[in-house]
């Protein structure tokens, strides 16, 4: 698992771990049932405290992304379609915000922008 910790990032390390593991699960890099590295191994690899990795794993479990079993480890939980749908909606909203800003800056009306979206949607 390739997790990159940035010391210059103001985001706490455990949140950086959470964000990257969530992204790997949501984009399919990590699949249902895949084992995560042990907390001890991940802490050693990242050269951080095991308490930090424990906090990240606990939060991921609380949010429903992973499940942990004593003596066996932590695994990616069955895909939650609602979480995937929410991530996709967020990405669409960000893309639409960019499109709307470009339209406003270019003087494109809402009606024209809506027509463009309809044409793109129907073509796809």
């Amino acid at each position: 698992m390739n997790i990159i910790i940035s010391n210059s990032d103001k985001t706490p390390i455990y949140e950086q771990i959470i964000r990257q593991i969530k992204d790997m699960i949501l984009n399919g890099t990590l699949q249902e049932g895949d084992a995560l590295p042990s907390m001890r191994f991940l802490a050693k690899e990242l050269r951080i405290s095991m308490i930090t990795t424990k906090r990240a794993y606990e939060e991921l479990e609380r949010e429903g992304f992973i499940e942990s079993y004593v003596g066996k480890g932590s695994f990616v939980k069955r895909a939650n379609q609602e979480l995937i749908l929410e991530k996709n909606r967020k990405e669409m909203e960000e893309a639409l915000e960019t499109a709307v800003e470009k339209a406003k800056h270019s003087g494109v009306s809402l009606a024209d922008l809506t027509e463009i979206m309809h044409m793109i949607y129907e073509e796809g």
Side-chain angles (χ1 to χ4, degrees):
M1 182 180 316
N2 188 21
I3 294 179
I4 300 167
I5 299 300
S6 171
N7 291 325
S8 61
D9 190 338
K10 299 214 184 288
T11 307
I13 293 172
Y14 79 95
E15 287 182 9
Q16 292 180 47
I17 294 168
I18 291 168
R19 183 182 65 236
Q20 291 179 56
I21 291 176
K22 278 183 185 178
D23 286 345
M24 285 186 260
I25 292 170
L26 292 172
N27 71 23
T29 303
L30 287 173
Q31 300 286 321
E32 174 186 339
D34 284 351
L36 273 60
S38 71
M39 289 181 237
R40 180 174 285 132
F41 180 82
L42 185 60
K44 184 178 178 183
E45 285 293 305
L46 298 176
R47 296 187 176 117
I48 60 173
S49 165
M50 199 166 88
I51 293 170
T52 302
T53 56
K54 182 176 191 278
R55 186 172 182 186
Y57 277 31
E58 286 174 345
E59 184 63 28
L60 285 164
E61 188 163 15
R62 197 172 13 265
E63 292 182 22
F65 284 91
I66 67 171
E67 48 196 353
S68 300
Y69 302 97
V70 177
K72 292 185 180 181
S74 298
F75 301 86
V76 176
K77 200 169 184 177
R78 186 170 157 262
N80 183 334
Q81 295 304 318
E82 194 173 311
L83 290 174
I84 293 169
L85 180 59
E86 183 60 31
K87 178 186 181 284
N88 289 337
R89 282 186 179 145
K90 184 176 183 231
E91 288 174 0
M92 286 185 289
E93 287 174 8
E94 291 170 357
L96 288 170
E97 283 178 7
T98 301
V100 167
E101 288 302 314
K102 285 184 182 182
K104 285 180 178 178
H105 182 69
S106 301
V108 175
S109 71
L110 177 59
D112 288 344
L113 180 60
T114 304
E115 184 179 339
I116 292 167
M117 282 185 31
H118 279 287
M119 289 179 357
I120 292 170
Y121 191 86
E122 295 301 321
E123 286 178 8

